[in-house]
């Protein structure tokens, strides 16, 4: 008998496709949620030509800045996407399609903790899109945010992880650069999806 996370079911039937939606299918795909102005996305794609990064940004101003840099030096293994990450992933990703997921310096949602990524029922769906053995990198400059996410990994999601202090020379995103220059303690969780990990969305495929 399969054991699923003890969290309410993500209401997938209420999620509509984004405007001007189209599927981007690639082998060896990775996903970045909240790509901002694209600093990490552009650097990651340049360093990992064997991987294809789907980089999603919802905010129009940040996406346009990202797109401008991408168009100046386009990379064939990078797809900038202007959309809500939840809606796009529900309609655009297949089960176990992703090798890596990056959530770097997300909004900590101080007034609405239920909207933090590991607190949302959506996180179960996101796990279903990740390959067995795949990883999720979650970075923040807020120690309590990382501590809560670590507790959720242990108590709700039953996922192994490693917590790391981010070195001062790192500068993957504009936020990371700013925080480290200020001397703020930045850290990350590297979360791994074990072999045979089950979700209630493992057979769900809107892309068919």
């Amino acid at each position: 008998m399969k054991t699923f996370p003890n969290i309410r079911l993500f209401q997938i039937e209420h999620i509509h496709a984004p405007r001007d939606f189209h599927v981007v299918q690639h082998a060896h795909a990775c996903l970045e949620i909240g790509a901002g102005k694209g600093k990490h996305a552009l650097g990651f794609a340049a360093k990992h030509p064997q991987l294809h990064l789907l980089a999603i940004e919802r905010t129009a101003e940040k996406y346009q800045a990202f797109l401008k840099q991408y168009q100046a030096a386009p990379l064939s293994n990078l797809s900038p996407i202007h959309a809500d990450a939840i809606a796009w992933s529900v309609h655009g990703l297949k089960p176990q399609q992703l090798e890596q997921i990056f959530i770097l310096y997300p909004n900590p949602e101080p007034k609405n903790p239920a909207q933090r990524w590991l607190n949302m029922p959506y996180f179960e769906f996101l796990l279903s899109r990740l390959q067995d053995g795949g990883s999720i990198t979650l970075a923040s400059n807020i120690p309590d945010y990382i501590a809560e996410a670590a507790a959720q990994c242990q108590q709700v999601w039953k996922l192994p992880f490693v917590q790391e202090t981010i070195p001062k020379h790192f500068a993957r995103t504009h936020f990371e650069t700013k925080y480290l220059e200020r001397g703020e303690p930045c850290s990350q969780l590297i979360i791994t999806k074990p072999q045979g990990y089950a979700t209630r969305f493992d057979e769900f495929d809107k892309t068919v």
Side-chain angles (χ1 to χ4, degrees):
M1 180 178 178
K2 293 182 179 179
T3 301
F4 298 112
N6 182 23
I7 194 167
R8 65 181 175 84
L9 187 66
F10 176 52
Q11 301 298 306
I12 205 165
E13 65 274 12
H14 300 306
I15 306 298
H16 300 292
R19 184 182 302 175
D20 302 324
F21 170 78
H22 66 278
V23 175
V24 184
Q25 292 291 355
H26 288 278
H28 307 296
C30 301
L31 174 70
E32 181 172 1
I33 294 176
K37 297 179 181 179
K39 183 176 175 65
H40 172 263
L42 292 160
F44 180 87
K47 291 177 183 177
H48 302 279
Q50 78 281 11
L51 300 174
H52 192 101
L53 181 62
L54 308 167
I56 301 180
E57 175 53 44
R58 181 175 60 182
T59 307
E61 183 180 354
K62 291 180 181 178
Y63 175 76
Q64 289 302 321
F66 178 12
L67 187 63
K68 184 176 181 179
Q69 291 191 74
Y70 170 77
Q71 290 173 336
L75 296 162
S76 61
N77 63 325
L78 174 60
S79 296
I81 299 167
H82 184 209
D84 175 80
I86 293 176
W88 194 92
S89 63
V90 165
H91 292 268
L93 295 175
K94 291 181 173 294
Q96 296 214 18
Q97 180 182 349
L98 303 173
E99 295 188 12
Q100 297 182 62
I101 299 170
F102 298 95
I103 308 174
L104 305 178
Y105 303 93
N107 184 340
E109 302 287 354
K111 296 182 180 179
N112 193 1
Q115 292 298 309
R116 296 170 189 161
W117 291 103
L118 273 76
N119 295 351
M120 291 194 290
Y122 164 75
F123 193 72
E124 181 180 1
F125 175 82
L126 188 63
L127 288 170
S128 75
R129 307 299 99 172
L130 186 63
Q131 298 175 9
D132 286 358
S135 66
I136 299 174
T137 300
L138 174 69
S140 179
N141 64 316
I142 302 173
D144 287 349
Y145 188 100
I146 291 293
E148 179 187 73
Q152 291 294 88
C153 280
Q154 294 172 323
Q155 298 167 14
V156 176
W157 304 109
K158 313 299 183 186
L159 290 167
F161 65 90
V162 175
Q163 182 170 342
E164 300 175 340
T165 298
I166 295 172
K168 292 183 179 180
H169 67 273
F170 270 37
R172 293 173 297 183
T173 76
H174 291 92
F175 282 126
E176 187 166 79
T177 302
K178 179 174 67 174
Y179 298 145
L180 291 172
E181 285 178 350
R182 288 178 181 172
E184 296 184 24
C186 297
S187 57
Q188 64 186 12
L189 301 182
I190 309 295
I191 305 163
T192 302
K193 181 181 177 181
Q195 294 290 327
Y197 187 92
T199 80
R200 291 168 285 188
F201 301 100
D202 292 342
E203 305 302 323
F204 179 89
D205 189 353
K206 269 268 193 191
T207 68
V208 175

